[in-house]
Amino acid sequence: MARITLDHIRHAYGSAPKSPKDYALREVHHEWNDGGAYALLGPSGCGKTTLLNIISGLLQPSEGRILFDGKDVTYLSTQARNIAQVFQFPVIYDTMTVYDNLAFPLRNRAVPEAEVDRRVREMLEIIDLSGWAKRKAQGLTADQKQKISLGRGLVRNDVNAILFDEPLTVIDPHMKWVLRSQLKRLHKQFGFTMVYVTHDQTEALTFADKVVVMYDGQIVQIGTPAELFERPTHTFVGYFIGSPGMNVMPARIEGSTVVVGGETIALDYSPQINAGDRAELGIRPEFIRIGREGMPVAVNRIEDIGRRRIVRADFQGQRIAIVASEDAEIPAEPRITFDPAAINIYANSWRVGREA
Ligand code: ADP
Ligand code: MG
């Protein structure tokens, strides 16, 4: 297993990139701990696969270096890096049996046949294909084939890291849940460094210790699920994580108050904002209280979602969402208050910390 250092990585697919727009990865500079379970989360096209392929060695970055345990591997092949990678769609040998497909990566490394057998059988259990061991892969369903791909990625225990690129896309929802739990368990058991690409926040938040949120060729935040929820570093993280996402509204900072439309809201600190910066207030729907006190809102719609309700309202010309409990009273002339500790202030989309 290895600690992975991404040292000022940039990547452009075209030649002679000029502006940041020309880069699929603008600048990635981070260190990922040995044995961590990381999820790379972001919308389609944000650069997840590009970054994963740079880590695995399928792609060489235009600029920067990649290190495993301090050793420069930027120009080493995937094989030399000793990485297992599982792709979005199955990569298997159709003419081999299911058993031989799983045995292949081990036999390739000259693992003794008794050990091969033990591990292949164990993996067949995990991916729930024990009854199919002797069948040719050809003719299996897409999700069975993908389970073989996963098994091939997981069968070795001497890899530096295992990389997954949206591996559960073709798997049905129930099996998705089962496999995700299995991955988590295997990670705990063997402690390999795992990088798991997904555009699905639930998948990322349930799987990873650390979620790496990507947006437009950049890593905008690396954090635990709780950190991403409570302190989104970038407004994009606020929108993208949570359901509904964070409310973000144009604002003006005046000392230790924030002004939204005609309302002035007290803060518990004085955000340092430069003149000319675009200021915004972010607050999650869960931290807005609706009742008889505070600032007036116009309620448009109330959605029942089990034990909670989502109130859609207009506040100072902004559409906002509020999460209320199912028994909360919503008066005829509703008012709202924001939990001061849960207010985030942004300057040009980046969070202004209390620390400063
Ligand atoms: P994701 O995996 O997050 O969907 P990708 O890393 O595949 O994103 O793509 C990032 C950007 O790079 C996108 O704008 C995509 O169109 C572009 N891109 C990806 N692969 C290639 C390629 N082989 N040639 C040119 N552009 C590419
Ligand atoms: Mg991709």
Side-chain angles (χ1 to χ4, degrees):
M1 308 304 140
R3 167 172 51 97
I4 299 173
T5 310
L6 304 164
D7 179 16
H8 297 283
I9 301 271
R10 284 152 74 82
H11 189 73
Y13 284 99
S15 54
K18 288 175 207 77
S19 72
K21 280 199 316 298
D22 300 332
Y23 285 87
L25 284 182
R26 294 194 190 183
E27 166 97 27
V28 174
H29 187 66
H30 274 288
E31 187 153 288
W32 295 358
N33 293 331
D34 191 3
Y38 291 88
L40 277 184
L41 174 67
S44 177
C46 70
K48 304 182 295 294
T49 296
T50 303
L51 182 55
L52 204 70
N53 289 345
I54 286 173
I55 296 172
S56 70
L58 288 177
L59 195 62
Q60 249 113 52
S62 317
E63 295 166 38
R65 297 185 311 157
I66 165 147
L67 314 175
F68 284 5
D69 286 333
K71 179 172 170 271
D72 190 341
V73 298
T74 316
Y75 298 101
L76 293 187
S77 68
T78 303
Q79 199 165 11
R81 291 183 197 193
N82 201 11
I83 288 233
Q85 189 166 4
V86 180
F87 300 90
Q88 195 167 2
F89 299 103
V91 180
I92 58 171
Y93 298 103
D94 263 339
T95 56
M96 283 187 193
T97 62
V98 173
Y99 185 104
D100 287 341
N101 262 287
L102 294 176
F104 190 80
L106 299 172
R107 289 178 176 151
N108 230 358
R109 298 236 151 199
V111 173
E113 201 57 28
E115 175 70 5
V116 171
D117 188 60
R118 195 185 62 73
R119 282 215 238 137
V120 169
R121 285 175 193 284
E122 185 185 30
M123 195 47 63
L124 283 165
E125 288 282 319
I126 289 170
I127 59 177
D128 198 23
L129 286 178
S130 294
W132 300 74
K134 296 206 164 64
R135 289 277 296 266
K136 287 247 174 15
Q138 208 163 22
L140 298 191
T141 63
D143 78 328
Q144 287 173 321
K145 289 185 180 181
Q146 184 63 356
K147 288 197 276 181
I148 303 172
S149 275
L150 266 174
R152 282 163 48 95
L154 293 165
V155 77
R156 286 174 52 201
N157 59 8
D158 61 342
V159 289
N160 274 323
I162 307 186
L163 312 183
F164 302 89
D165 195 350
E166 315 219 23
L168 304 182
T169 309
V170 296
I171 306 273
D172 78 73
H174 174 69
M175 196 63 203
K176 242 183 201 159
W177 187 84
V178 172
L179 287 175
R180 206 159 61 213
S181 315
Q182 293 277 27
L183 284 180
K184 222 173 156 159
R185 194 178 60 76
L186 286 172
H187 178 257
K188 281 217 180 80
Q189 188 177 347
F190 297 115
F192 33 66
T193 308
M194 245 162 133
V195 184
Y196 188 102
V197 166
T198 178
H199 63 269
D200 176 341
Q201 59 162 312
T202 313
E203 205 161 294
L205 297 173
T206 54
F207 166 78
D209 325 320
K210 284 281 178 76
V211 180
V212 179
V213 185
M214 292 188 66
Y215 172 62
D216 201 14
Q218 288 174 285
I219 291 178
V220 283
Q221 187 166 6
I222 299 185
T224 61
E227 286 163 351
L228 299 179
F229 185 78
E230 286 161 18
R231 295 280 171 254
T233 309
H234 190 280
T235 51
F236 174 76
V237 179
Y239 297 127
F240 198 67
I241 307 247
S243 180
M246 187 171 70
N247 298 296
V248 178
M249 39 202 118
R252 204 171 67 242
I253 302 300
E254 287 178 0
S256 62
T257 65
V258 52
V259 181
V260 177
E263 295 285 354
T264 301
I265 302 158
L267 295 172
D268 55 7
Y269 75 121
S270 305
Q272 299 306 304
I273 294 236
N274 297 321
D277 281 357
R278 187 169 47 83
E280 287 166 309
L281 177 155
I283 182 140
R284 291 215 175 261
E286 291 80 356
F287 299 117
I288 302 180
R289 206 185 170 83
I290 186 161
R292 295 180 189 280
E293 277 167 42
M295 308 169 287
V297 284
V299 171
N300 299 321
R301 196 154 46 96
I302 300 176
E303 298 161 19
D304 266 305
I305 47 160
R307 275 177 304 175
R308 310 186 312 164
R309 287 184 291 173
I310 299 174
V311 180
R312 307 279 177 183
D314 283 320
F315 169 67
Q316 298 295 320
Q318 300 295 310
R319 283 273 154 86
I320 63 165
I322 303 158
V323 169
S325 65
E326 62 181 338
D327 49 8
E329 187 217 353
I330 297 171
E333 290 182 10
R335 290 173 172 267
I336 54 169
T337 50
F338 296 167
D339 173 358
I343 294 176
N344 290 298
I345 299 296
Y346 295 89
N348 302 328
S349 304
W350 292 95
R351 183 167 174 273
V352 183
R354 285 149 205 269
E355 306 74 35

